[in-house]
Amino acid sequence: MTYRSPFGIIIALALCLGSAAPVVAQNGPLRLEITEGVIEPLPFAVPDFVAENGAAGDHAKNIARVVASDLAGTGLFREIPASAHVGRVDSFDAPVSYPDWKAVNAQALITGAVSASGDRIVVKFRLFDIYSGQQMGEGLQFAGTPQSWRRMAHKVADAVYSRITGEGSYFDSRVVFVSESGPKNERAKRLAVMDYDGANVQFLTDSRSLVLAPRFSPTGDRILYTSYVSGFPKIYLMDVASVQARALADQPGTMTFAPRFAPDGRTVVYSLEQGGNSDLYIVDTATGSSTRLTNAPSIETAPDYSPDGRSIVFESDRSGTQQIYVMPAGGGEARRISNGPGRYSTPVWSPRGDMIAFTKQHQGRFHIGVMRVDGSEERLLTASFLDEGPTWSPNGRVIMFARETSGAAGQSSLYSVDITGRNLRPVPTNGAASDPAWSPLLP
């Protein structure tokens, strides 16, 4: 079966990717259990992919490095460096010498090959379980333009990750964020989009007006954001392909902000301020018809839909301080789910539907945390001078957020952390960055 994505990659599937029951066993199939306990990273080897012709040399090496970086960056896998390899892979079709890879304690081996001709490159790979001496599944092959080589590398890493863990993947995705420049008291901000690992940055707006809080649509083809181009905060909807934007829910005498798409991609929930009061509304992106969801003297903001579209989580100070509430998607009685000390804000529902991420301020520190949807099992994952604005990876295992340093020279940068809190990593950006929002997996 073959499939051509709108991003110029053809995917040939020799076998559908199945989920794997988790555990690593020397005498059984290679599987990795992901639990809340201490995880010993699974050692793997990725020799440079075989260049099947002269034009593929750089791509073969670079693709293997991106695959290794993706897997090692999860904290679940540990790469065995090339300097320790005993075995060699000079041909994609050559049999694997399992003893050579056992000798360096590799449990998984990824081999691949790349061919290049004109404006097309083809990447193929295989995954081997070293201790059972077996190939894991059949091969996958990707074809695309030379410019799409990083996407093909991410797709290889996604397939390996899913086969070993049995979970959904997240490497072939993008992040929209606010790129910042200039001094802290006069910072210029513009929308930008990049690969999840910081590569391939593209700017979507200029820096003539302040922009905030971009959010991807469920299909990744549109972006919601707040702009001050009119002098007041207004919601805008941008088409990613054309980079054309239009105002949404534009009502005279009001300010609109904090928008989020519903799972249907047609409805948007947002906060509207009028006469000093802020409430939640929804708007149909096709018709422009708006409906009010809350009517309270408190500040209601930062709404987000549950994955099934039935509920909305939001932030409110109706109890006297910022707390997190959940209500039906059509409005109605809300129940408070945050119960710990401190103030809670920016709640975001996990794509899995089982957890809510949030920002917490307590005793002069800011934290990124997670809790169950009923408010139980609260767990703080980070702590710093200012951590805020969590966003979930497509598989619900990793959270990206913005961290700002203190002082007059302080600036904001992006970090990611897994839901155990053990794998905190900076996300490389060229300059200051804030307000990240993860896309779904690319098609």
Side-chain angles (χ1 to χ4, degrees), residues 113-391:
V114 182
S115 61
S117 177
D119 62 352
R120 176 184 172 89
I121 63 172
V122 176
V123 180
K124 51 191 177 182
F125 87 97
R126 291 188 178 117
L127 172 63
F128 298 92
D129 178 346
I130 297 303
Y131 283 98
S132 70
Q134 298 177 352
Q135 182 175 323
M136 294 185 67
E138 300 298 326
L140 281 177
Q141 178 173 290
F142 308 99
T145 64
Q147 292 75 29
S148 63
W149 70 267
R150 286 187 63 89
R151 278 209 62 201
M152 288 184 273
H154 291 321
K155 284 189 173 293
V156 171
D158 277 338
V160 171
Y161 179 93
S162 294
R163 289 183 182 186
I164 294 178
T165 67
E167 290 196 335
S169 52
Y170 64 93
F171 307 125
D172 187 28
S173 60
R174 306 211 79 194
V175 173
V176 63
F177 65 102
V178 175
S179 176
E180 304 184 5
S181 60
K184 191 171 184 178
N185 61 351
E186 196 176 345
R187 188 130 316 153
K189 299 186 177 185
R190 53 181 174 165
L191 291 187
V193 64
M194 64 182 181
D195 294 354
Y196 96 99
D197 58 359
N200 293 330
V201 175
Q202 297 172 287
F203 293 103
L204 304 176
T205 64
D206 57 34
S207 57
R208 288 178 292 181
S209 60
L210 183 67
V211 290
L212 299 170
R215 304 290 181 245
F216 270 109
S217 68
T219 50
D221 59 342
R222 292 168 296 159
I223 291 172
L224 287 166
Y225 64 100
T226 302
S227 173
Y228 281 74
V229 66
S230 67
F232 297 93
K234 297 287 184 183
I235 296 169
Y236 284 80
L237 177 62
M238 175 183 287
D239 178 82
V240 175
S242 66
V243 201
Q244 297 297 308
R246 62 180 175 91
L248 191 64
D250 190 9
Q251 300 180 33
T254 68
M255 294 185 287
T256 55
F257 47 94
R260 292 270 187 179
F261 279 100
D264 65 11
R266 177 179 175 131
T267 307
V268 169
V269 62
Y270 63 99
S271 190
L272 182 146
E273 189 276 338
Q274 187 173 27
N277 187 51
S278 172
D279 276 298
L280 301 183
Y281 289 72
I282 57 172
V283 61
D284 186 302
T285 60
T287 67
S289 175
S290 294
T291 303
R292 188 172 189 163
L293 297 182
T294 64
N295 190 354
S298 51
I299 296 174
E300 327 292 322
T301 190
D304 186 37
Y305 279 94
S306 61
D308 62 10
R310 296 178 180 177
S311 303
I312 291 174
V313 64
F314 64 99
E315 163 194 339
S316 173
D317 65 356
R318 61 181 63 186
S319 65
T321 61
Q322 291 169 286
Q323 300 294 332
I324 297 175
Y325 293 79
V326 173
M327 70 177 180
E333 184 177 354
R335 56 187 172 86
R336 177 173 162 178
I337 63 169
S338 57
N339 295 296
R343 293 186 289 173
Y344 295 77
S345 59
T346 65
V348 189
W349 221 299
S350 164
R352 300 179 179 184
D354 60 341
M355 304 183 84
I356 291 171
F358 56 86
T359 301
K360 181 172 182 174
Q361 185 179 6
H362 181 53
Q363 296 183 338
R365 303 279 281 175
F366 279 79
H367 310 266
I368 299 298
V370 293
M371 64 174 70
R372 295 294 179 185
V373 297
D374 62 358
S376 64
E377 299 182 34
E378 177 181 322
R379 184 167 66 252
L380 300 181
L381 308 179
T382 75
S384 84
F385 168 75
L386 179 55
D387 287 351
E388 62 179 353
T391 180

